[in-house]
Amino acid sequence: MARSSTAKVSFRALLVLAVVALGVYALDQISKFLVVTNLTEGDVVRVLDDVLQLHFVRNPGAAFSLASGMTWIFSIIATGVVVFIVWFAGRIRSVAWSVVFGLLLGGVLGNLTDRLLREPGFGVGHVVDFISTPWMIPAIYNVADMSIVVSMGIFMILTIRGIGLDGVRTPAAAGKDAPAKDSSSKADSTADGLVGPAPTESAP
């Protein structure tokens, strides 16, 4: 019975991972297609003044336009990440962790597709970036980049909380409040002893 329950949770986790990854990938590629077909490289469209702008650029580097000129290295790294997630996915039992790896997989696949299929060539293609928020960060990014960053944020939260791949908190994390409870219990026991019935005197 426990084995079938574990298999069911595993299937649900894999399904969530796949749906999240495909959703992010589709949103990333569709948004890039709309930008490429409707804007000219270098165009800036103010959506919300300086809060949100569309600024079409082609990025040969990593996320947020970092390390330009090392495209082929990032292509290799991204391929390795994709292979690892696909191989590792069967160990995930937690829906929260499935979301983490789904966001990461979808984001990595989105930018990897650009590097493999876009100009100037296979493996060294430039990633399409178009989202600009000058008030928050002086870089231009895309949906895939945002997905990767969000996945890392959730990863940190789950790790700090001590939640494992099976969705269960580790004993160390779950027992952080135990000392307070133990001391409280001891205090109560001591108090009970102090206020308990006084010993009866033996009759003369």
Side-chain angles (χ1 to χ4, degrees):
M1 197 60 135
R3 183 176 299 177
S4 62
S5 176
T6 301
K8 181 179 179 180
V9 173
S10 176
F11 174 77
R12 182 179 65 176
L14 288 175
L15 181 61
V16 170
L17 191 154
V19 170
V20 172
L22 288 174
V24 169
Y25 180 77
L27 183 60
D28 177 70
Q29 292 299 301
I30 291 173
S31 61
K32 289 174 178 175
F33 172 79
L34 293 175
V35 168
V36 171
T37 55
N38 291 282
L39 297 177
T40 302
E41 187 174 357
D43 282 354
V44 178
V45 178
R46 295 179 180 272
V47 180
L48 293 173
D49 198 22
D50 290 333
V51 177
L52 175 63
Q53 301 175 1
L54 299 181
H55 187 178
F56 177 21
V57 298
R58 296 182 185 274
N59 174 23
F64 301 104
S65 304
L66 299 176
S68 299
M70 302 176 64
T71 307
W72 64 274
I73 295 179
F74 293 117
S75 297
I76 295 175
I77 295 175
T79 301
V81 172
V82 170
V83 172
F84 171 78
I85 294 176
V86 172
W87 169 78
F88 189 76
R91 303 185 182 188
I92 303 172
R93 299 290 184 270
S94 164
V95 171
W97 279 107
S98 295
V99 172
V100 170
F101 283 98
L103 289 170
L104 180 61
L105 180 59
V108 172
L109 279 175
N111 285 338
L112 180 60
T113 299
D114 285 13
R115 294 189 175 103
L116 296 179
L117 302 181
R118 295 188 186 276
E119 298 178 351
F122 182 81
V124 293
H126 293 178
V127 175
V128 173
D129 287 337
F130 59 92
I131 303 174
S132 176
T133 49
W135 62 275
M136 181 174 64
I137 182 172
I140 305 172
Y141 48 98
N142 55 42
V143 173
D145 296 335
M146 292 191 299
S147 178
I148 293 172
V149 171
V150 171
S151 73
M152 292 299 98
I154 302 176
F155 171 87
M156 293 178 62
I157 293 174
L158 294 178
T159 301
I160 292 173
R161 294 188 61 193
I163 299 177
L165 294 173
D166 57 358
V168 179
R169 297 186 69 183
T170 58
K176 285 182 179 180
D177 298 330
K181 293 180 179 179
D182 291 343
S183 60
S184 176
S185 298
K186 291 180 180 178
D188 291 342
S189 300
T190 303
D192 291 340
L194 291 175
V195 301
T200 58
E201 296 183 359
S202 58

